[in-house]
Amino acid sequence: MEFKKSQELYTKGLEHLVGAVNSPVRAFASVGGNPLFIKKAKGSKITDVDGNTYVDLVLSYGPMVLGHRHKKVQSAITKALKNGYSFGASTKNEIKLAKIICDAFPGMDKVRFVNSGTEAVLSGIRLARAFTGKDKIIKFSGCYHGHQDALLVAAGSGLATLSLPGSKGVPEGAVKNTLIAKYNDLESVKLHFETHDDIAGVIIEPVAGNMGVVTPQNNFLKELKEYVNSKGALLIVDEVMTGFRSKFGGAQELFDVEADITCLGKVIGGGFPVGAYGARNEIMEMVAPLGGMYQAGTLSGNPIAMAAGISTLTELKKQNPYEKFNELAQIIEVFLLESAKKYGVEITVNRFGSMINPFFTNKEVENFEDAQTSNTKKFAVFFWEMIKNGVFLPPSQFEAWFLSSAITEKDVKKITKAIEKSMEAVAKM
Ligand code: HOZ
């Protein structure tokens, strides 16, 4: 397999782009080598500039849940393009997409569209502060909620991959109201409430996907919601990854928990730059122009993104692929475990519906500390062998793999074959 053109583009890209990438998670810093440059994608497959085609388990970090260029989404986008790209004024489709979202999440009466998950979360946090009149926010170590100052501490995703405890350039004042708790550990949340009386809310990924996949154990979410509300604070649920992926109504539907504020991201734009935050009326009425919490955006509710989002979610509802997702992801899970056993490689596999990944550790992974016991050198060898065998994975131990509804049985066979070879390569290290 050749990566010559990707290598050439990488060298060229270094001149005017930082690290030749526009998001650090795309760098291959933790797996070695150069990032692959992508030419195109269709259905379950993605093709790089050297003409290598892979089964895509990155899927733009989740949103391509129908696979790439689904024909209904493509035609909705083409149709929308004919009417214009951005108006700085309201359109009918914003109302339509808002209804689809509010119908799916019972805790949302109203929604505000923004342009990314980062924006959704920073607005959701501002809203929690506005509603409660309090300042402090609790986040869980290993969870990642975008690159806003206040939450760039003990964060997963690219920070975990690059082993960064936080970000330079974030003033102390910006994180002085951020408290860190341990995922799956309600006591660590309680400790904060016992020592602070000004906590506005707790933000959580209901299933973490940014420290690898980590699922909530033993009613953790339900108990968290009850406790947080009993203290007069709000539960902010970041469903940027899980929304419409594990169930149409997200992780909240699956775990029967209703967030006070829900944050959504890329999936509601079918891969276009979109985010949204929403809540019940009494909370959303704080937002300008109804209330005094200001948040705005020229491109918010962009007509192309709205068209892509409506067609993606409508098709997703029709396909209802969640059972198929479970079955296929389970095949991958079992295969990972069996081939690891066969080659004597210690792994733990965590899975939530169509989100899955192996950790190269012998520990159960229930929080960030557990995830960090993973042997990232083994992951790097595994990653490259998967690439060479035609499977595109996130270049990090701490990112989730995703399935799309376009995946075929043939793709799954390719994945399992690649796993077998990759596990063998890890065993030979
Ligand atoms: N949360 C995404 C990865 N886990 C973000 C992707 C990015 O930062 O580019």
Side-chain angles (χ1 to χ4, degrees):
M1 190 176 262
E2 279 223 344
F3 305 111
K4 197 166 160 270
K5 288 187 182 157
S6 272
Q7 274 156 10
E8 280 166 12
L9 286 178
Y10 175 67
T11 309
K12 242 187 203 166
L14 287 173
E15 193 181 354
H16 294 300
L17 293 169
V18 182
V21 292
N22 278 304
S23 187
V25 302
R26 297 176 203 169
F28 276 31
S30 73
V31 292
N34 304 139
L36 300 183
F37 280 69
I38 301 304
K39 184 167 185 191
K40 59 182 181 180
K42 174 80 185 145
S44 58
K45 316 276 195 314
I46 191 160
T47 303
D48 69 20
V49 287
D50 286 284
N52 305 308
T53 294
Y54 313 86
V55 179
D56 186 10
L57 298 185
V58 179
L59 294 167
S60 192
Y61 290 92
M64 310 317 295
V65 63
L66 300 175
H68 296 278
R69 290 195 284 144
H70 187 280
K71 64 177 190 307
K72 288 200 178 141
V73 182
Q74 188 111 352
S75 101
I77 295 166
T78 313
K79 201 169 145 206
L81 274 171
K82 288 185 182 145
N83 290 328
Y85 324 137
S86 183
F87 309 121
S90 297
T91 62
K92 191 170 159 189
N93 272 350
E94 290 163 65
I95 301 170
K96 198 167 170 188
L97 186 56
K99 176 157 170 48
I100 295 174
I101 292 170
C102 290
D103 285 350
F105 288 83
M108 287 163 103
D109 292 325
K110 284 188 176 57
V111 67
R112 166 62 63 83
F113 290 114
V114 290
N115 298 293
S116 67
T118 293
E119 267 189 62
V121 170
L122 76 85
S123 311
I125 283 187
R126 186 178 301 152
L127 181 56
R129 287 172 166 156
F131 186 75
T132 59
K134 297 173 183 171
D135 286 342
K136 291 208 163 55
I137 296 290
I138 298 179
K139 85 170 276 286
F140 293 91
S141 55
C143 284
Y144 175 78
H145 305 284
H147 61 91
Q148 61 167 306
D149 283 359
L151 299 183
L152 275 185
V153 271
S157 192
L159 286 101
T161 306
L162 301 171
S163 300
L164 299 173
S167 170
K168 288 192 175 164
V170 172
E172 242 175 70
V175 287
K176 84 168 198 294
N177 287 313
T178 307
L179 306 168
I180 309 297
K182 195 167 169 184
Y183 201 85
N184 273 322
D185 183 350
L186 189 57
E187 290 309 310
S188 70
V189 175
K190 289 183 177 172
L191 273 179
H192 286 309
F193 277 97
E194 280 156 19
T195 43
H196 300 277
D197 59 6
D198 55 346
I199 299 174
V202 176
I203 181 157
I204 189 164
E205 287 179 77
V207 172
N210 285 291
M211 48 176 140
V213 177
V214 178
T215 55
Q217 304 291 312
N218 309 324
N219 264 338
F220 176 58
L221 291 178
K222 257 186 184 306
E223 287 173 14
L224 179 68
K225 158 82 175 163
E226 249 168 56
Y227 179 76
V228 167
N229 284 171
S230 77
K231 295 289 171 188
L234 302 182
L235 183 67
I236 307 157
V237 176
D238 176 346
E239 294 239 30
V240 167
M241 280 195 186
T242 49
F244 298 99
R245 177 154 272 287
S246 39
K247 264 265 181 220
F248 201 70
Q252 291 176 58
E253 183 182 338
L254 215 66
F255 292 106
D256 190 25
V257 173
E258 201 170 289
D260 295 301
I261 298 175
T262 298
C263 302
L264 294 164
K266 40 212 163 198
V267 66
I268 60 163
F272 278 78
V274 191
Y277 62 99
R280 56 186 183 272
N281 279 327
E282 64 165 337
I283 300 178
M284 287 310 280
E285 279 159 13
M286 301 291 301
V287 180
L290 296 184
M293 187 217 99
Y294 196 74
Q295 178 276 311
T298 301
L299 297 179
S300 298
N302 173 269
I304 312 304
M306 294 294 107
I310 291 166
S311 54
T312 296
L313 297 188
T314 307
E315 177 63 19
L316 192 59
K317 189 158 195 187
K318 193 174 131 210
Q319 285 189 10
N320 192 15
Y322 302 108
E323 215 164 288
K324 174 182 165 187
F325 276 162
N326 244 324
E327 282 163 19
L328 296 181
Q330 203 176 7
I331 294 175
I332 296 171
E333 178 182 8
V334 169
F335 209 84
L336 277 163
L337 290 168
E338 281 178 356
S339 57
K341 198 167 164 202
K342 177 170 167 191
Y343 292 104
V345 178
E346 284 179 330
I347 61 162
T348 288
V349 180
N350 280 2
R351 181 174 76 82
F352 178 68
S354 59
M355 290 166 67
I356 180 169
N357 76 281
F359 294 91
F360 287 89
T361 177
N362 58 3
K363 272 185 85 84
E364 299 280 297
V365 178
E366 293 183 357
N367 55 48
F368 195 31
E369 267 173 36
D370 298 338
Q372 284 173 310
T373 64
S374 302
N375 184 328
T376 53
K377 290 201 175 80
K378 286 187 181 170
F379 177 81
V381 169
F382 181 86
F383 167 84
W384 274 109
E385 209 54 36
M386 290 294 279
I387 290 282
K388 286 177 195 153
N389 284 282
V391 182
F392 192 55
L393 296 181
S396 166
Q397 167 69 89
F398 304 108
E399 298 285 358
W401 309 353
F402 296 95
L403 301 187
S404 74
S405 65
I407 197 163
T408 62
E409 281 182 19
K410 210 168 148 202
D411 293 330
V412 175
K413 281 209 180 100
K414 189 163 188 176
I415 296 167
T416 53
K417 213 167 150 199
I419 289 172
E420 166 100 29
K421 294 221 158 125
S422 306
M423 223 44 102
E424 191 181 0
V426 172
K428 282 188 186 147
M429 280 173 77

